[in-house]
Amino acid sequence: MDDELHRKTLAGIQALLREEFGQTLAGAGEQRLSSLLSSTWDEAARKTGTENFLSRDVTILLADLRGFSAVSERYPVDVMLDVLNDYFSHMSRIVFDHGGTIDKFMGDAIMVLFGAPESRVDDVERAVRCAVTMQVDMSEMNKLHRMAGRPELFMGIGINSGTVMAGNLGSDLYSEYTVIGEEVNLTSRIETFSLRGQVLISESTFARCRDLVRCGEPEEVHVKGKTVPVVLHEVLGIPGLGLEVPRQEIRRSPRVEVHMPFSYQLVDANKSIQPDIHHGYLLDVGYHGVLAEVDNDIPLHSDIKLDMDLSLIAYKATDVYAKVLKVIPQEKGFKVGIEFTAASVQTDLNIHQFIQLLIQGVEVH
């Protein structure tokens, strides 16, 4: 029920009681009347759909486990179910402690609302405090898991604030209160960029809690469906509460799995590019390097020049210089870890955009 409509209806009933009986309901009586109004309205909405969706300003928190499928393959089903139940129990308690509403569980992900169905003036701050506390608690859980020989879990969190449509969605047989809109979709996109143990917030969320949080340098990312880049902020801590985010990811950027051809040339000690062109396949790509499979043995610490076809964004990166940091012999060929050392500004931007689109599920053709 809309807060303003609820207030006016309650005031009208109280005025009628005063006129008829000379007094109004107070204390527990007024609270029971308020609850009755809310439940009656919600029941009517579920049956008739007359409530429609109402515009609300909310902050949405989406938390998702990182690499859970890979972890679950290494442990018995009963162990993983026990670990998941423990995870959901801990996270749900933290959400409720911060006044959030769990919108839904989606596999191993949790979607939480602050500002719906009830709104408070500090919705944004409570959402951010909740996210940081969740990551702190997850770190403590993993310490216990290590001692007990149980699998560790790692979570990424995205937060966004904005206007959504909120209400009951469903039919006479089943319905649920939920929120829909572009801001919900954006929250999901933000969450996909978060690394293990990381909390990422949108610019709109940051603008409402900048005095509360300590953040890293803002980062622009390309989001599917958006014509301009979206600015994200990584929450590092909440100084006023003495909280620090125990980020678990040692990587400096997201990495996405691929299987795409590339070519390379060796660069000699005089910085001359050798004429022989070699070929291989990229296995994963990050902002700062790649993992690849090649046929020829490349000396460790070799300098090379890469050519990559970023067909997803209609761009070919032909000016990427890199160093070989890892060489692992395989049954056929070699697996090599390569770190970028130099590229043009445009190429660097295009590599970022290429990865960001892949993270969001855009397929390479």
Side-chain angles (χ1 to χ4, degrees):
M1 186 175 189
D2 178 74
D3 291 343
E4 182 64 17
L5 179 59
H6 183 101
R7 186 186 64 78
K8 289 182 177 179
T9 304
L10 183 60
I13 294 175
Q14 290 281 44
L16 181 61
L17 289 173
R18 186 184 296 108
E19 291 176 7
E20 293 293 326
F21 303 104
Q23 62 182 9
T24 61
L25 293 175
E30 184 178 33
Q31 182 60 46
R32 288 175 60 191
L33 175 59
S34 178
S35 298
L36 180 61
L37 283 174
S38 295
S39 61
T40 301
W41 181 275
D42 289 344
E43 181 64 24
R46 282 192 290 270
K47 290 182 177 180
T48 67
T50 56
E51 178 190 29
N52 295 321
F53 273 69
L54 302 175
S55 177
R56 298 193 73 105
D57 186 71
V58 301
T59 294
I60 306 161
L61 182 158
L62 185 58
D64 194 10
L65 293 180
R66 293 288 173 264
F68 180 76
S69 297
V71 173
S72 62
E73 293 175 355
R74 304 197 300 267
Y75 291 86
V77 174
D78 59 332
V79 172
M80 294 311 303
L81 286 175
D82 187 44
V83 169
L84 263 186
N85 282 328
D86 193 29
Y87 159 71
F88 281 126
S89 176
H90 275 258
M91 297 306 126
S92 297
R93 174 182 51 79
I94 293 170
V95 168
F96 295 144
D97 286 347
H98 288 82
T101 299
I102 295 177
D103 180 84
K104 59 177 70 74
F105 293 122
M106 301 173 290
D108 52 24
I110 308 172
M111 179 173 165
V112 182
L113 305 177
F114 293 84
E118 296 183 7
S119 60
R120 299 179 177 87
V121 295
D122 61 343
D123 281 326
V124 175
E125 293 185 0
R126 286 185 297 107
V128 176
R129 290 199 303 269
C130 178
V132 174
T133 304
M134 289 170 74
Q135 292 291 20
V136 171
D137 189 80
M138 180 67 83
S139 181
E140 294 302 315
M141 283 178 57
N142 280 335
K143 290 179 183 178
L144 298 177
H145 285 186
R146 285 194 294 271
M147 289 188 292
R150 304 172 78 192
E152 296 181 60
L153 301 179
F154 300 98
M155 177 174 55
I157 299 178
I159 301 178
N160 180 40
S161 304
T163 302
V164 301
M165 299 304 293
N168 288 294
L169 183 67
S171 66
D172 292 342
L173 297 176
Y174 175 78
S175 66
E176 63 178 359
Y177 185 89
T178 190
V179 295
I180 59 176
E182 180 58 32
E183 301 300 338
V184 181
N185 298 333
L186 179 57
T187 308
S188 178
R189 301 297 182 196
I190 293 171
E191 180 273 320
T192 62
F193 289 107
S194 60
L195 303 175
R196 301 192 309 176
Q198 196 175 33
V199 177
L200 293 180
I201 62 176
S202 66
E203 181 69 20
S204 61
T205 298
F206 176 71
R208 306 185 198 190
C209 67
R210 63 173 70 242
D211 294 332
L212 173 74
V213 299
R214 180 172 66 87
C215 289
E217 290 296 318
E219 178 185 4
E220 289 188 348
V221 298
H222 294 270
V223 172
K224 186 168 62 174
K226 295 285 187 180
T227 57
V228 296
V230 171
V231 177
L232 301 182
H233 300 262
E234 179 184 0
V235 177
L236 302 177
I238 303 178
L241 299 178
L243 292 175
E244 295 289 328
V245 179
R247 180 173 168 183
Q248 303 295 323
E249 183 63 75
I250 61 174
R251 294 174 176 173
R252 292 181 292 159
S253 82
R255 298 184 75 91
V256 290
E257 292 185 1
V258 296
H259 185 71
M260 51 186 282
F262 81 107
S263 61
Y264 67 94
Q265 295 167 272
L266 294 174
V267 179
D268 64 24
N270 297 319
K271 306 301 180 184
S272 297
I273 301 172
Q274 299 301 297
D276 292 338
I277 299 176
H278 307 280
H279 299 275
Y281 279 90
L282 299 178
L283 302 178
D284 73 32
V285 184
Y287 294 161
H288 309 290
V290 298
L291 182 66
E293 282 184 342
V294 296
D295 293 331
N296 299 319
D297 185 8
I298 308 178
L300 191 63
H301 305 308
S302 295
D303 291 313
I304 61 175
K305 176 180 175 292
L306 296 176
D307 287 350
M308 298 183 292
D309 187 4
L310 308 181
S311 56
L312 184 63
I313 56 173
Y315 184 83
K316 190 166 184 176
T318 60
D319 53 354
V320 181
Y321 290 85
K323 183 177 287 292
V324 176
L325 298 183
K326 178 172 62 177
V327 178
I328 303 173
Q330 305 289 302
E331 186 175 344
K332 291 184 178 180
F334 302 84
K335 184 178 292 186
V336 292
I338 301 169
E339 182 176 80
F340 303 148
T341 55
S344 70
V345 172
Q346 186 59 54
T347 293
D348 188 59
L349 290 174
N350 285 323
I351 290 173
H352 278 62
Q353 183 179 357
F354 178 78
I355 294 167
Q356 290 160 11
L357 290 175
L358 285 177
I359 288 173
Q360 298 168 75
V362 180
E363 294 184 357
V364 180
H365 298 290

